[in-house]
Amino acid sequence: MIEKLHSIGISNAMITSTVITLILCAVAVIGGRRIESVPSSKLQNALEAGIEKLYRFFEDIMGEYACRRYFPVVATLFIYILVCNYSGLLPMAGHFPGLAAPTSSINFPMGLAVVVFFATQIVGIRESHGPRFFKHLFQPFAFLFPIMLVEQFVRPLSLTLRLYGNVFGEEAVVSSFFDMVPLGLPLPMQALSILMGFVQALVFSLLAAIYIGEAAHTAEHL
Amino acid sequence: MTTTIAIAAAIAIGLSTIAPAIGQGLAASKALEGMARQPEVAGEIRTTMILALAFMEALTIYGLVVAIPLVNKL
Amino acid sequence: MVEALGIDIKEMLFAVANFLILIAVLTKFLYKPFLANLENRKQSIQDAFDNAEAVNKRADEKMSAYNKRIANVEQEAREILKDAKMKADRQASQIVDEANEKASLMLQKAEAEIERQKILAVEEAKEQIAMLAVMAAEKIIEKELDASGQTQLIDNILKEAGASGWQN
């Protein structure tokens, strides 16, 4: 069946990311199906703790107003990237048919970065009520416009390359270690990649939060 | 030709690793000093440090991104 | 470069679609209800605290009112006690006064009685003295004394008897 999917141009990263999406949706539906004011289920407790922690974290970065409105985007970014990074730690990832860390293919981080890019522009336009938002490209000096414009387009590129490069580099190192000494040697690298997966997810969502928060607050300074 | 490409790839990834490594070391040491001196703002410092490290990390990744196509051409 | 890095629009669109679906689902089932729940819980805890504070305040007010009332009652009790004492004192002094008056009255009566008795006794004594005088006269007559001497004697005796309190 996986061969068939491959033959119509569906890659391993796509399959894995879809499976992850479905699993996360299932967790959300199960966890959010019955919410009690005094939680009795462990799932609800865990989800609550996680969501509140994320909310406080992004509230510190984006400010209260922006966080209340755009929390879903950045929180989903964090959760999705985290789970995708960790999917690369599963046994046989990259060799088992249909299983590969989606973030180790450049297209996946690029898609997310493009979403963040457009989200930033849309948020800016929405918060400053119209194309007035683009005036911020001419501030503080009009002659800096080319640089500001380039910065806007470098942001998604750097987001993409950072996530992709880290995950791909990590996997490349683990696999070359595996080729050298299959037993034991890749272990410290994999332990490091647990930390790295978390940090990269955090950095990606943190930068997205900063960009979106900045766009939401630009309206005040125009 | 192949040798030149291999050397180019090695230089690209090698140089682009050295500078950010130094930068990250400096940033992390300063951040740790700050955290040790003022543990009450350790959380904020950690967030900012991770952000700064991420920006430096990006430079290495640029080198990697240049090196990969070169290696693929071998 | 694009081919070398393996950029593929189809895979990118896949990622974007997955991500957007995930945002929608998580927002509907996870963030909204959970954040609302957290907010509700915070609100209800705040309400409980406010309520407790209000109840405490009411209790304090009641307490102070009771204390005031108790203080009032004590004051009243003290006043009643003072009143009673004063009344008793007054009564006691009245009784003492009455007794004193009665005593002095009795003393006066007794003195009057004594005076009367004294007068009576004096009268009686005078009579007896007169009788004694007569008897003395008879004795003198028996001894044949002259008249003038007799009279003088009697006068002397009477005078003596009348002037000096011989029966003291």
Side-chain angles (χ1 to χ4, degrees), chain B residues 4-62:
Chain B
T4 323
I5 291 174
I7 291 173
I11 289 174
I13 189 69
L15 282 185
S16 67
T17 316
I18 292 170
I22 295 170
Q24 285 188 339
L26 284 177
S29 86
K30 288 292 173 195
L32 285 175
E33 262 176 40
M35 280 190 228
R37 200 175 299 132
Q38 279 174 293
E40 61 270 19
V41 289
E44 279 174 49
I45 293 179
R46 192 174 303 120
T47 313
T48 320
M49 180 188 78
I50 289 173
L51 203 60
L53 292 187
F55 280 121
M56 292 177 220
E57 190 81 13
L59 302 178
T60 313
I61 302 304
Y62 294 155

Side-chain angles (χ1 to χ4, degrees), chain C residues 1 7-8 33 58 71 109 115 120 124 138 150 159:
Chain C
M1 183 85 175
I7 291 174
D8 177 13
R58 265 214 316 272
K109 256 188 193 164
E115 198 64 26
L120 267 178
E124 214 173 310
E138 274 170 11
Q150 200 180 359
K159 211 177 184 177

Side-chain angles (χ1 to χ4, degrees), chain C residues 31 36 90 96 110-111 121 124 138 142 144:
Chain C
Y31 306 136
R90 232 177 16 239
V96 168
E111 269 172 8
E124 214 173 310
E138 274 170 11
E142 275 171 25
E144 290 167 291

Side-chain angles (χ1 to χ4, degrees), chain A residues 9 11 14 17-18 21 28 32 35-37 44 48 72 75-77 79-80 105-108 110-112 115, chain C residues 5-8 10-12 14-16 18-23 25-27 29-31 33-35 37-38 41:
Chain A
S11 66
M14 292 189 206
S17 69
T18 310
T21 308
I35 292 177
E36 293 155 333
S37 190
Q44 193 193 334
E48 244 175 38
T76 311
L77 266 178
I79 295 170
Y80 200 24
S105 141
I106 195 169
N107 303 299
F108 187 84
M110 191 169 266
L112 296 188
V115 170
Chain C
L5 286 172
I7 291 174
D8 177 13
K10 202 168 60 184
E11 216 172 300
M12 241 170 78
F14 222 85
V16 172
N18 271 341
F19 181 62
L20 292 181
I21 290 169
L22 199 61
I23 287 185
V25 172
L26 291 194
T27 306
F29 288 100
L30 215 57
Y31 306 136
F34 272 84
L35 289 176
N37 190 28
L38 286 176
R41 192 175 305 151

Side-chain angles (χ1 to χ4, degrees), chain C residues 111-126:
Chain C
E111 269 172 8
E113 181 73 17
I114 286 164
E115 198 64 26
R116 218 167 40 90
Q117 293 282 347
K118 201 169 145 187
I119 290 165
L120 267 178
V122 169
E123 298 277 305
E124 214 173 310
K126 270 182 187 171

Side-chain angles (χ1 to χ4, degrees), chain C:
Chain C
M1 183 85 175
V2 169
E3 300 89 54
L5 286 172
I7 291 174
D8 177 13
I9 294 292
K10 202 168 60 184
E11 216 172 300
M12 241 170 78
L13 288 179
F14 222 85
V16 172
N18 271 341
F19 181 62
L20 292 181
I21 290 169
L22 199 61
I23 287 185
V25 172
L26 291 194
T27 306
K28 184 157 191 316
F29 288 100
L30 215 57
Y31 306 136
K32 262 194 188 148
F34 272 84
L35 289 176
N37 190 28
L38 286 176
E39 193 57 39
N40 280 348
R41 192 175 305 151
K42 199 168 140 195
Q43 196 59 47
S44 70
I45 289 171
Q46 189 63 49
D47 282 355
F49 271 118
D50 288 352
N51 214 3
E53 208 165 298
V55 167
N56 257 353
K57 213 166 144 193
R58 265 214 316 272
D60 275 357
E61 270 168 19
K62 249 183 193 163
M63 184 90 176
S64 67
Y66 276 130
N67 276 346
K68 220 184 260 170
R69 256 161 73 178
I70 286 171
N72 276 350
V73 165
E74 269 176 8
Q75 178 81 16
E76 252 168 58
R78 259 210 302 280
E79 256 164 37
I80 287 171
L81 217 65
K82 221 161 83 184
D83 274 7
K85 226 178 184 168
M86 259 162 67
K87 230 176 182 170
D89 277 356
R90 232 177 16 239
Q91 243 169 11
S93 70
Q94 208 178 337
I95 288 167
V96 168
D97 282 358
E98 267 173 26
N100 276 346
E101 217 171 306
K102 243 183 198 165
S104 69
L105 218 68
M106 269 160 78
L107 210 64
Q108 265 175 19
K109 256 188 193 164
E111 269 172 8
E113 181 73 17
I114 286 164
E115 198 64 26
R116 218 167 40 90
Q117 293 282 347
K118 201 169 145 187
I119 290 165
L120 267 178
V122 169
E123 298 277 305
E124 214 173 310
K126 270 182 187 171
E127 262 172 46
Q128 279 189 0
I129 287 165
M131 254 168 30
L132 274 174
V134 171
M135 265 164 55
E138 274 170 11
K139 292 260 174 80
I140 289 163
I141 289 162
E142 275 171 25
K143 282 177 186 176
E144 290 167 291
L145 284 176
D146 62 343
S148 66
Q150 200 180 359
T151 316
Q152 205 181 345
L153 198 69
I154 289 168
D155 274 353
N156 272 351
I157 291 170
L158 277 179
K159 211 177 184 177
E160 242 175 273
S164 75
W166 53 271
Q167 59 177 132
N168 263 1

